[in-house]
Each structure stands twice: as C-alpha cells, then as structure tokens.
Amino acid sequence: MVESFRDRLIDILVKGKLIKQKDLDRALEIQKKSGGSLGRILASEGLVSERDLMIAMSRQLNIPPIDLSKYKIDKSLMDLIPERIAKQYCIVPVSKIAKVLTIAMVDPLNIFAIDDIKTLTNYQIEPIIAMENDIRDAISTYYGSQTIEMSKIMEGVIPDIEVEQEEDKIDVSVVAEESKSAPIVKIVGLILNEALKRRASDIHIEPCEKNLRVRYRIDGALHDVLTLPKKNQNAVLARLKIMSRLDITETRMPQDGRFKISFEGHEIDFRVSILPIAFGGKVVLRILDKSSLSIGLDKLGFLPGPLSTFKTALERPYGMILVTGPTGSGKSTTLYSIINQLNIPERNIITLEDPVEYELNGITQIPARPEIGLTFASGLKSVLRQSPDIVMVGEIRDFETADIAIKASLTGQLILSTLHTNDSAGAITRLIDMGVEPFLVASSLVLSSAQRLIRKICSNCKEEAEIPKGMLEKIGMKPEDHPKKGSGFFHGKGCQRCNNAGYYGRIGILEALLIDDKVRDMIMSKVSSDDIKNYAIDGLHMKTLRDNAIENLVNGVTTLEEVLRVTSGD
C-alpha cells in the first residue's frame, strides 16, 4: 500500500519533533472540517513554518530542496507542462538537461503526478522539494506572464466595431450582442483572473477620451495594467453589467451590483460600482475573499500589546466597541473577523451594513437601503426587536444612529461599529460632537480603536538600508528603540515577485484605547481628545499608531517610508 503524502508528512513531523501532538490534532481537525492541504494549514496557523517543513522533508526523503523565490526559471520550460496540470499537482518545471526534466513539487512522493508528467512530456522526471507558496507564486509569475499580454491578444481578435460617442445613439442590442462575443468574454475573464493572481484588492476600469484604462490596486497602491481600445469600451462595460445583473440600458445614473466566481478552489465575491463620468461609465470592482475572514484577529498582524487590549474588551458581554480609520484601513475585515470568531449557535448576531460585503453563514445580515427609508437608524430599531446578542452597525454617521446604538449597548447588547476619525481618542469627541450626551458615551464605550494597513517588505528582495540618526529622532524614535547590535533597517530592492514595488502584502497596526474610570471621568468633564490620548499613553501605556509602525520598522517588517506615509506624528 502506497503511503499518502499526508501520512508521510505526519511521520516526519512527529519523528523530527517539529510539532506537539495537540497542535497536530488541531490541524487535522481543521483539515477534516474545511479541507485543504495539511502543510498549508500548519503554516497558516503558525504551528510550523513552510521552510522548516521543506527542510525536514528533504532530509527524511533525501530529496534536494530549492528556494524558488531566488531561482530564475527558463520560460520555455512552461511549454512542456500546461498551466492546468501545474496547478492541479502544484508543480513547476525548473530545468531540462538531455532527457531529464527536473520539477519542483510540494509532494515528491506523488507517483501519479510524476507518471502523468512523464507520459505527457516523454522525459525522465527528477523531483525536488519546494515550498507550496513559492510554487504557486512561480506558476502565477511564469504562466501568468504569458496570459497577461492582453494588448497582443487584442490585436486582430477583437471585432473592429466602431461605437458612437454620444450616449443617446448607442444601439443597446448591438452592444449586448457584442458583449457576449468570445473575445470580449475572454478579455474580461483575463482582467479578473490576473487581478486575483496579483493579489489585487480592487480593479479600476476607467473610460478615457481615446481608450479604456485598467488599473489594479495592490497592497494599497494603484498600478497601470492595460489599455484597451476605445471602440470596445461599451462591450466590456456591458459584459460586467450583465455579470452583475445590472441594467445595461442605464447610462446616466450610478449603479451597484455584485457577482461571484470560483478561483483555485475559493469562492470570490466582486462588489461592482459604476459611476457615470464624462467619457462613459467608470467601473470599480472590489474583490472580497471570504477565506481571509476565517484567519481570526491573531493573524491580522497586530502587535501583541494592542491585540491583548482588544481581546480584553471583547470579553465584555455588552457595551460598545468602535474601530476607526479612513476608507481602506481594514476596519471591515477586523469587524468581520471578530464576528466570525464570536459566531456560535448560542449567539444571535445581526449586522446592518451598507452594503453587505461578505455573506457569512449563521449570521443575520441586513443591507441598509436609504432610498426606501431603511437607514442605519431605522434598521437598528427593528434589529433590537429581534433579541440580538451582538450587533454590528456598518458605520455611525449621525446622532440618531449613535444614540440608538449607545442605548442598546446599555441594555445588554455588544455593539460593534466604525467611525471615520484619525485616532482612538478622536472617536470619543466625535460622538459628543454628534450630540450624544457625555454620560451616555462614558457609560457605554468599552474600547475605542484606530487602525491602518502598512505594507510589508518583500522577503525575496529584502536588503539592509541605512537611515540617518537625525531622521530616526525626527520620527520620535528614542536611542533605546534602535535595532539591537547585529540587526538593522531594511527595504525592498524590487523584484519580479513584488512587481518591482519592494513590498509584498500588508499587515494591520492597531491603537487600542481601553476605557477605564479615569477616562470616563474625563469624558464626563468634556476633556479634549488630546488630553485623553496623553493620559492613555502615560497612564495606560497605550501604543499609538506611530509607535506600532516604528516597532514594525525596528523588527524589519516595513520601511521608514511606510511609517511616514501611514502615520502622523503624535
């Protein structure tokens, strides 16, 4: 009987003493419930690093390892193995010498994969071990680079259909028919597929005077990807409207919709916003991946101190918890991660959102619809009649919503919501400025937090960087906070993996203000937010957003440029 990769992996983990039995049992239970590879679960839960797994397997199986992130592959090798097969078996060809083809594999014991590739290529197969994330990145980079050359695909493929520029002269039936043509369907599919491969959070499709511009937002920054001919603009927009079940005849009013696709075993939601502008309809697609919500607060990158404060507040059965920050700072992801973590059959959890971003099982979610009178305030009144234990309000925008939410938090509900303020203390004065009585704020508020997203240095092109001491003092760093001897500051040089940005991925930084008796007295006395913040820093040892960012700088996670970009001096 052939030993499975999972069994062999468990044997290696146990023999190598890389994991405790209770942690292994937990990982196996997660795999039983949600599926997926055991190695990926172990890595995502922080139980064993992918690199340690690779090295242990290499030693046990006597098969050499490879660091694909630092290895340049000849693109011509991709012609030997189709992308579909590479993804199916999680492999990538690395080199070819005579009749021997070397392939990087997560599971070098997969004889079925080796036999299939041997039959397909007519080469002898030599397996080596690589990390799963590195293999998937290589597949995305080397196969993706072949498919994203959309401008070449466009040449001679898209029908040469001229479109009238005046909106009232557009023949809707012609545009609808054109949007269903194979080239248009293919181009829209490629735009979506490549966005997911590049980890984009948003896709911007913008009509210009002479063309259609496509940009991706990756790690918070927009990147130009593609320019499409102007003559195909209406067909592309109509295709997206049809996918989103929107009215393709409506060209003068904003529209909102959504659709879902399946990508590499994940269900991905796209939230679609269409805005009429001078040269047509600008489309922004927000990419929502549910799998990111199941990771929990511990995996969002928050430092231990602020995270511990946040968890303390969540232990309260009632009261109000506020998450503040600008648009795109990760507030929704934090709130969804919280309610996903608190979601058990014994609790009645209701959300009121505008719009509902992620659809979660076991949670009652209500989309606000102001045009028919279903505002946050009116919806919240109805929600409270449903005997909820936890209520998430998308945003507190006015006095009525704030007043109802605060009073609900005093009668036994845990209320989670967001505000647009610059820091945690600012949320307190913002509520009072709305007209809420200070004694109500003091009685109900459990925690006020502020958060931002900060870019991480790409691990593949990370290198040491010199920062003048004067600059460190300027951002508020004390000599005792400087890196210890033997370590230093870093930045990303730029490489293929990070699209020469020097950054790969983002983590959250959190400022958590836990309301104690002293803060309540200050609220009652209408003390300024600056005074409350100063007390929180000195008396409660609160770490500000700048403190969080500097700690990540010292730890080699981010750069000085990111610290200055994301945070302001306190």
Side-chain angles (χ1 to χ4, degrees), residues 324 421-427 448-450 452 511 529-530 533 545 570:
T324 73
T421 60
N422 291 327
D423 57 18
S424 54
S448 176
S449 69
R452 301 289 189 275
E511 176 182 294
S529 61
D530 287 341
K533 186 170 187 175
L545 291 169
D570 299 299

Side-chain angles (χ1 to χ4, degrees), residues 349-351 380 383-384 388-393 413-416:
I349 302 176
I350 302 178
T351 72
L380 193 51
V383 163
L384 295 176
D389 297 298
I390 300 170
V391 179
M392 185 185 99
V393 183
Q413 280 84 31
L414 181 63
I415 306 292
L416 307 171

Side-chain angles (χ1 to χ4, degrees), residues 478-491:
K478 301 170 185 175
E480 60 266 26
D481 295 330
H482 291 196
K484 295 176 183 176
K485 192 174 181 180
S487 61
F489 299 105
F490 298 88
H491 74 152

Side-chain angles (χ1 to χ4, degrees), residues 196 200-203 257-261 263 266-272 285-293 332-333 336 353 355-359:
L196 294 170
S201 59
D202 303 87
I203 304 171
R258 64 192 310 149
F259 62 88
K260 297 179 183 179
I261 68 170
F263 178 78
H266 294 285
E267 188 179 82
I268 309 293
D269 281 18
F270 287 82
R271 199 179 78 204
V272 183
L285 298 95
R286 182 81 183 271
I287 301 172
L288 307 169
D289 183 0
K290 283 185 190 176
S291 63
S292 65
L293 302 181
S332 295
T333 300
Y336 275 113
E353 307 168 62
V356 172
E357 291 194 7
Y358 297 92
E359 295 170 359

